[in-house]
Amino acid sequence: MTGIDDLPIRDELRGTSPYGAPQLDVPVRLNTNENPYPLPEELVARITERVAEAARHLNRYPDRDAIELRTELAGYLTRTAGHQVSVANVWAANGSNEVLQQLLQTFGGPGRTAIGFEPSYSMHALVSRGTGTGWISGPRNADYTIDVDSARAAIAEHRPDVVFITSPNNPTGTAVEAETVLALHDAAQAARADAAGALVVIDEAYGEFSHRPSLLPLIEGRPRLVLSRTMSKAFGAAGLRLGYLAADPAVVDAVQLVRLPYHLSAVTQATALAALEHTDTLLGYVETLKAERDRLVSELRALGCEVTESDANFVQFGRFEDAHAAWQALLERGVLVRDNGVPGMLRVTAGTPAENDAFLDAVRELMKETSA
Ligand SMILES: Cc1ncc(COP(=O)(O)O)c(C=O)c1O
């Protein structure tokens, strides 16, 4: 039988595995940082209407520049993220993963490098690999915050072309201070002052769940600083596949060099526009999830767990002698969480109150067993 390795695949892909959290059929699935609330019926009806209208024109290619959608996304950011942006500042693609891929196709590539501060979102390294960009794993403190001095030193040493800063960070939930972002941004520009500087990407996929304001205002006057966002989490629309970035218009012009023509289908654009009409309702669910996230933090602490401060819709908890065994024990109680490979720690997504109760009951039993 032919295997992958018998095929003439690129050398750097040999022996690697695809991204994927195991999806198991259990009653309580809290492992992929999805929003547990289905879209409300009136939004489903509005999507149906807008998609029906789009379907009447599917013989034509969609708006290649997604002008209406980018205008609405700019309006959403302006209203909610503390800084005025316009259509020229915003670009959209199929999930923020595609946004990140387009950025690396444009600013990374063979002979170039990207750095991230790990543990962090594993797709940053995978998309780097997929685009032939070298990956550098930067350090974090023991409490999972970014240590500015050692991060600066890593940037000075490696002179990366792209710097990823994930805030709130996945899988730890840690928010990054604006001063840290600015320090790393300046260090990255200084390290590549002989070239045209470095691109700094703030991955704010979980921004709406944070206790702190968005880092969007930092893009002002910094054409090499990009903010990446998604409708997968706060908008409860992971199945839609819609991510976007906000940056200087020059960055938006630059990604045009690599984007596929008509990459964003008319159906996707119509669905996203319908969801944006219902922003207020969807952000209401975000408030509920933030309260549930805070409840998970305090109840897990009351149970004796070590819990990492979280600004996201998930919580990192432990510390287990054998995190994988703890993951398995929770699974046996019908609760699926995520083992991200962070030593001693697991990650749980904030679900509905009932799902969170079931999770907390399972942890309570597990803690009793291990302390017995
Ligand atoms: C930090 C971070 N960035 C980006 C994404 C990708 O989201 P999407 O491609 O669904 O927009 C995720 C998804 O889990 C994430 O955790």
Side-chain angles (χ1 to χ4, degrees):
M1 226 175 61
T2 310
I4 289 181
D5 284 334
D6 301 316
L7 300 175
I9 63 168
R10 285 160 44 196
D11 290 340
E12 64 269 32
L13 297 181
R14 282 189 194 284
T16 62
S17 22
Y19 176 89
Q23 204 47 277
L24 304 172
D25 193 14
V26 294
V28 181
R29 288 200 326 212
L30 300 173
N31 66 328
T32 47
N33 296 346
E34 289 155 329
N35 188 315
Y37 295 108
L39 298 180
E41 274 310 314
E42 64 272 22
L43 171 51
V44 173
R46 184 63 182 136
I47 290 173
T48 310
E49 252 173 51
R50 286 200 80 139
V51 168
E53 180 51 29
R56 295 192 179 96
H57 309 283
L58 284 182
N59 57 315
R60 303 287 178 195
Y61 283 112
D63 174 5
R64 184 170 56 195
D65 298 322
I67 295 292
E68 187 184 359
L69 175 57
R70 287 164 56 205
T71 304
E72 290 303 319
L73 288 167
Y76 167 69
L77 284 177
T78 300
R79 284 193 305 280
T80 60
H83 183 64
Q84 186 165 358
V85 286
S86 76
V87 59
N89 299 106
V90 173
W91 178 244
N94 295 283
S96 52
N97 284 333
E98 190 182 37
V99 169
L100 301 175
Q101 176 167 279
Q102 291 180 344
L103 288 171
L104 281 166
Q105 285 174 326
T106 311
F107 297 96
R112 294 189 162 213
T113 58
I115 191 170
F117 303 95
E118 297 189 309
S120 190
Y121 181 45
S122 59
M123 280 307 295
H124 296 158
L126 289 184
V127 178
S128 295
R129 186 175 77 200
T131 56
T133 313
W135 178 251
I136 299 154
S137 178
R140 266 179 198 266
N141 290 317
D143 67 356
Y144 307 105
T145 55
I146 294 178
D147 174 350
V148 178
D149 288 340
S150 43
R152 268 205 200 113
I155 287 172
E157 179 188 347
H158 297 287
R159 305 179 61 246
D161 300 274
V162 180
V163 178
F164 284 105
I165 301 174
T166 314
S167 183
N169 187 43
N170 178 13
T172 63
T174 319
V176 182
E177 304 285 348
E179 301 81 74
T180 303
V181 174
L182 293 181
L184 301 194
H185 170 270
D186 293 353
Q189 306 318 323
R192 297 201 62 81
D194 58 333
L199 193 80
V200 176
V201 182
I202 305 170
D203 185 340
E204 214 179 56
Y206 302 95
E208 287 94 336
F209 297 96
S210 183
H211 297 105
R212 299 155 200 241
S214 169
L215 295 164
L216 175 69
L218 302 185
I219 68 168
E220 187 61 40
R222 295 185 185 86
R224 291 167 189 78
L225 190 61
V226 179
L227 186 93
S228 167
R229 282 281 192 107
T230 181
M231 293 181 75
S232 295
K233 316 291 177 181
F235 280 81
L240 163 62
R241 309 309 301 132
L242 199 291
Y244 53 102
L245 66 76
D248 190 278
V251 173
V252 175
D253 290 346
V255 294
Q256 308 305 308
L257 302 173
V258 300
R259 61 114 177 84
L260 294 174
Y262 314 110
H263 68 298
L264 209 51
S265 87
V267 172
T268 298
Q269 293 185 42
T271 309
L273 280 163
L276 282 157
E277 289 177 18
H278 288 252
T279 304
D280 292 347
T281 316
L282 298 172
L283 291 185
Y285 296 147
V286 168
E287 287 311 309
T288 308
L289 288 169
K290 284 166 74 173
E292 281 297 302
R293 177 264 326 273
D294 291 342
R295 179 168 80 93
L296 284 173
V297 169
S298 57
E299 297 208 15
L300 282 167
R301 282 192 180 138
L303 290 174
C305 292
E306 175 186 326
V307 181
T308 313
E309 218 52 71
S310 175
D311 275 74
N313 66 336
F314 53 83
V315 176
Q316 179 176 264
F317 66 103
R319 180 165 293 267
F320 301 103
E321 232 171 76
D322 181 346
H324 196 72
W327 177 86
Q328 188 68 42
L330 292 174
L331 185 60
E332 279 155 20
R333 289 170 173 83
V335 179
L336 180 60
V337 297
R338 185 83 186 263
D339 178 3
N340 292 90
V342 179
M345 306 302 272
L346 296 174
R347 187 195 72 192
V348 61
T349 306
T352 60
E355 287 172 329
N356 299 334
D357 285 343
F359 159 74
L360 288 164
D361 285 346
V363 175
R364 194 169 293 115
E365 283 179 28
L366 175 67
M367 297 298 280
K368 254 192 222 144
E369 247 171 45
T370 45
S371 64

